[in-house]
Amino acid sequence: MKVSIREDRSALSHAPDNWHAIDWRRVERNVRGMQIRIAKATRERDWRRVKALQRMLTRTLSAKLHAVRRVTQNQGARTAGVDRELWNSPESRWQAVNRLTRRGYKPLPLRRIFIPKANGKERPLGIPTMRDRAMQALYLLALEPVSESMSDPNSYGFRLSRSTADAMSQIFVAMSQHGSARWVLEADIKGCFDYINHDWLENHVPMDRAILRKWLKAGLIYKGQLQATEAGTPQGGIISPTLANVTLNGLERELIAHLDAKFGIAKAKKLKVNVVRYADDFVITGDSKEILENEVKPWVEAFLATRGLQLSEEKTRITHIDQGFDFLGWNFRKYSGKLLIKPSKKNVQTFYRKVADTISGNKTVKQADLIRLLNPMLRGWAQYHSPVVAKQAYSRMEHLIFKRLWRWSKRRHPKKSTSWIKKKYFCSIGDRHWVFAAPITREDGSKGLFDLYEISGTVIKRHKKIRGDYHPFDPMLEQYSEKLRQERMVNSMRYRKQWATLYLSQSGLCAHCNCALTDETGWHDHHLEYRMHGGSDALSNRVLLHPQCHQLVHAGKIAVTKPSLR
């Protein structure tokens, strides 16, 4: 029986009749309540109840609203699938909610595109249609509580509140001491997303099997030709990372259990085998090369083979910690017994090439426009490496970028003297000299300088690792979860101190819908009294809103209240 918005009014106490009338706080509360019940049933291994609750969640109005909102406010919202359809208006989003039904659902083929990788190769992406994305987001709401409950403790990729920095911190815990493991198996799965066995997924992923099969067999359209998909889960789908995680869940737990059974718990512990995984990349530590080569690696290969996967021969190796190894853009190596983590040479070279290409590709733009292009890149790279030993890499990168910018400046004025070029493009700000900066006129009419982000000024601050037993759907950890989210958001905003102040004053919530502001949702800085009407730029006249809420506020002239600064 088709479930319409009208029939599903029980999901909300006051069902809305248009997109603007939705109470997003209540939507999130309804969805999270169901997810907590699914996670509880999973921990109790009550699989019949899990299945019933998942079916119930995917049919609620709240879950459908949540799914449509997610796919229309993320970065891919402007990228269409094969049907070229976009949900870029409140009316189209509202109509889309009623189309998220299981009965008669048939996904369209994915649109195949390729994006360049750091090694010069290309990564294939499959772009689903907006409706298929929303259906994936809907069923992901029901799958995520189960996958989180079944995940390995030290799996960090594509999981709620976990990051590459958490994986880095866990490796530091496992290898930093004098008596820690000395050898590392650097593993990489060959084409993980492309080769996962469909039969294994259908039999082991705890979700609606019929829907999952339709997604897996939807096919791809490339250069006008339809291609069948006999294996793998295409990169680009919202649910694909979680499917890959479910596929690799058990790698850590089952390996430790295997070693405990074969050698005994006491002896297995002395082998110092630890698994740290981020998506399809993982490292396994060990006390000797022999245990990794003769025991761990064959077991891992057999584990992957049942899922249709195999290790990449060119990227999988066993390394001593004194020689060092690269993982997630960092180099881990012991110097005279002390473990230091630094930006890897490959990461530094790749980033410099990206910056150099940006500079050389914008030879004729205004200086301020070039700075606007470079600053997000520089800030993002510097902040990524801020938890590790990166000061030397920062200084080196700044020097290389300065040389590129000097060449960029000289090329524009080949007949001018060095001192003239320096005066035009570079200046001194405080104790900083040779700062690449452009004069600008601010909105209030005052003059100022717009300078290039100072990489070497980035503060090195050790990352606070997430708790190993953290579960995002455990009510007992709700307070810890909120504190963790706010700390990490404020940390990511620490070079935008005004945003951080506004974020804390709003308790990390959007001033309009009272839902969480995250890196995924993004945010806009909204002036309560518009600047064109004489409003000031003071914090008392500003709030942070979700991008979509910002559009609604302006389109509907909705009043937004100002939380008091704490």
Side-chain angles (χ1 to χ4, degrees):
M1 179 178 178
K2 184 177 179 181
V3 181
S4 68
I5 293 177
R6 185 180 300 277
E7 294 168 338
D8 197 24
R9 285 179 178 271
S10 59
L12 296 171
S13 59
H14 301 288
D17 56 7
N18 65 77
W19 190 259
H20 298 285
I22 298 169
D23 182 349
W24 290 109
R25 185 70 170 172
R26 185 177 295 277
V27 166
E28 286 203 350
R29 202 159 51 233
N30 290 343
V31 171
R32 182 161 180 80
M34 288 291 292
Q35 289 180 315
I36 289 173
R37 292 172 64 189
I38 293 172
K40 182 175 182 292
T42 303
R43 290 194 296 271
E44 295 171 353
R45 295 294 188 264
D46 188 349
W47 299 114
R48 290 186 64 182
R49 183 162 178 77
V50 168
K51 188 175 181 179
L53 289 171
Q54 285 183 319
R55 184 170 59 249
M56 190 185 305
L57 176 60
T58 56
R59 295 181 180 183
T60 62
L61 174 60
S62 291
K64 294 176 181 181
L65 291 170
H66 193 289
V68 172
R69 190 189 200 202
R70 175 173 179 176
V71 300
T72 55
Q73 73 177 7
N74 63 18
Q75 293 182 351
R78 300 178 185 175
T79 305
V82 294
D83 61 354
R84 299 297 177 182
E85 181 182 357
L86 291 176
W87 298 341
N88 49 14
S89 68
E91 293 75 21
S92 61
R93 293 168 194 151
W94 181 249
Q95 293 168 5
V97 173
N98 206 34
R99 296 170 58 195
L100 302 185
T101 56
R102 184 181 188 277
R103 180 179 293 273
Y105 170 66
K106 184 178 180 181
L108 293 175
L110 293 88
R111 182 163 67 92
R112 172 71 93 190
I113 63 172
F114 291 87
I115 59 173
K117 295 172 64 175
N119 59 7
K121 297 181 180 179
E122 290 186 322
R123 183 189 306 279
L125 289 183
I127 309 299
T129 64
M130 292 297 293
R131 185 191 181 199
D132 294 336
R133 268 177 263 178
M135 285 291 286
Q136 289 188 17
L138 176 63
Y139 280 84
L140 179 59
L141 290 174
L143 174 62
E144 218 161 24
V146 185
S147 67
E148 284 289 338
S149 302
M150 300 170 62
S151 292
D152 291 324
N154 293 305
S155 163
Y156 297 98
F158 304 113
R159 293 183 61 193
L160 297 173
S161 301
R162 295 179 181 241
S163 65
T164 54
D166 289 314
M168 175 271 295
S169 299
Q170 179 58 29
I171 294 176
F172 184 84
V173 169
M175 307 198 73
S176 59
Q177 301 299 317
H178 177 72
S180 297
R182 300 169 296 167
W183 292 87
V184 176
L185 170 65
E186 303 174 64
D188 182 88
I189 300 172
K190 184 177 181 181
C192 178
F193 284 87
D194 297 325
Y195 297 110
I196 300 176
N197 185 278
H198 283 181
D199 291 335
W200 191 95
L201 284 172
E202 291 177 32
N203 292 325
H204 292 85
V205 176
M207 65 168 288
D208 189 313
R209 185 180 296 186
I211 293 291
L212 176 59
R213 182 171 181 80
K214 287 180 180 180
W215 287 334
L216 296 176
K217 302 299 184 182
L220 297 160
I221 289 184
Y222 180 59
K223 293 183 177 179
Q225 299 294 319
L226 177 63
Q227 302 174 359
T229 47
E230 301 299 334
T233 170
Q235 297 182 63
I238 288 177
I239 205 170
S240 294
T242 302
L243 294 179
N245 270 338
V246 172
T247 303
L248 297 176
N249 281 343
L251 179 64
E252 179 182 359
R253 284 196 175 98
E254 292 179 26
L255 174 59
I256 300 301
H258 165 74
L259 296 175
D260 287 347
K262 184 169 184 176
F263 298 101
I265 296 176
K267 187 176 180 181
K269 191 174 181 179
K270 294 179 181 178
L271 298 177
K272 302 170 184 175
V273 174
N274 299 281
V275 181
V276 180
R277 179 169 67 85
Y278 190 90
D280 59 337
D281 293 327
F282 59 93
V283 295
I284 303 179
T285 68
D287 194 49
S288 67
K289 184 176 182 180
E290 290 71 26
I291 192 67
L292 293 177
E293 195 163 25
N294 301 328
E295 190 65 41
V296 172
K297 187 178 178 182
W299 184 91
V300 170
E301 290 174 336
F303 174 88
L304 295 176
T306 62
R307 293 151 173 79
L309 303 172
Q310 62 182 18
L311 293 175
S312 169
E313 294 184 7
E314 61 181 23
K315 295 182 180 179
T316 302
R317 61 182 69 86
I318 298 174
T319 313
H320 195 278
I321 190 60
D322 290 345
Q323 295 176 320
F325 65 95
D326 291 349
F327 187 60
L328 301 176
W330 292 300
N331 178 261
F332 299 76
R333 183 178 175 184
K334 276 191 173 180
Y335 298 82
S336 302
K338 183 176 182 180
L339 179 64
L340 296 182
I341 307 172
K342 303 179 180 181
S344 68
K345 289 183 179 179
K346 181 180 179 182
N347 179 274
V348 171
Q349 291 170 355
T350 300
F351 177 71
Y352 172 67
R353 178 48 50 197
K354 181 181 178 182
V355 173
D357 289 345
T358 300
I359 295 172
S360 62
N362 292 276
K363 295 183 175 70
T364 60
V365 301
K366 294 180 179 179
Q367 185 183 11
D369 292 335
L370 180 61
I371 294 174
R372 287 190 185 92
L373 287 173
L374 294 177
N375 275 358
M377 297 164 56
L378 303 182
R379 184 182 294 110
W381 182 81
Q383 289 188 17
Y384 182 82
H385 294 296
S386 63
V388 303
V389 183
K391 280 295 183 183
Q392 186 176 359
Y394 286 167
S395 298
R396 175 64 176 165
M397 183 61 67
E398 254 188 0
H399 174 67
L400 292 173
I401 293 174
F402 165 77
K403 289 172 65 176
R404 277 280 176 176
L405 291 174
W406 180 249
R407 287 168 55 188
W408 179 89
S409 304
K410 287 183 66 178
R411 182 187 177 281
R412 293 162 73 90
H413 308 282
K415 297 182 180 180
K416 295 293 185 180
S417 65
T418 298
S419 59
W420 187 93
I421 294 173
K422 177 186 175 183
K423 185 177 180 180
K424 180 171 178 61
Y425 293 106
F426 298 86
C427 65
S428 296
I429 301 178
D431 58 353
R432 296 170 58 202
H433 304 291
W434 286 89
V435 179
F436 191 69
I440 58 169
T441 302
R442 301 189 181 96
E443 291 183 2
D444 59 4
S446 62
K447 302 291 185 180
L449 288 173
F450 182 36
D451 60 316
L452 192 71
Y453 178 79
E454 183 187 15
I455 296 178
S456 60
T458 306
V459 178
I460 301 296
K461 183 179 179 181
R462 176 164 289 185
H463 177 76
K464 184 178 179 181
K465 182 183 173 294
I466 195 170
R467 282 173 51 171
D469 63 346
Y470 172 72
H471 193 305
F473 301 106
D474 185 348
M476 301 299 293
L477 295 175
E478 187 72 28
Q479 186 175 357
Y480 171 81
S481 178
E482 286 296 311
K483 184 179 178 182
L484 177 72
R485 179 177 63 83
Q486 291 192 21
E487 284 179 351
R488 294 193 171 180
M489 282 292 289
V490 170
N491 187 53
S492 69
M493 293 176 172
R494 66 178 183 265
Y495 296 102
R496 301 289 184 88
K497 294 183 180 179
Q498 292 187 344
W499 282 357
T501 302
L502 290 172
Y503 180 84
L504 288 174
S505 74
Q506 298 173 203
S507 300
L509 305 177
C510 172
H512 172 58
C513 69
N514 289 320
C515 295
L517 294 164
T518 66
D519 285 325
E520 183 180 12
T521 63
W523 60 87
H524 283 177
D525 192 343
H526 172 68
H527 289 77
L528 298 175
E529 183 179 358
Y530 298 170
R531 297 301 303 274
M532 67 177 65
H533 297 156
S536 72
D537 206 33
L539 291 179
S540 58
N541 189 46
R542 291 158 58 192
V543 291
L544 297 181
L545 303 172
H546 288 127
Q548 281 194 9
C549 292
H550 198 195
Q551 294 175 8
L552 291 177
V553 167
H554 279 272
K557 297 181 180 180
I558 302 170
V560 179
T561 57
K562 173 68 179 177
S564 59
L565 295 178
R566 293 188 293 178

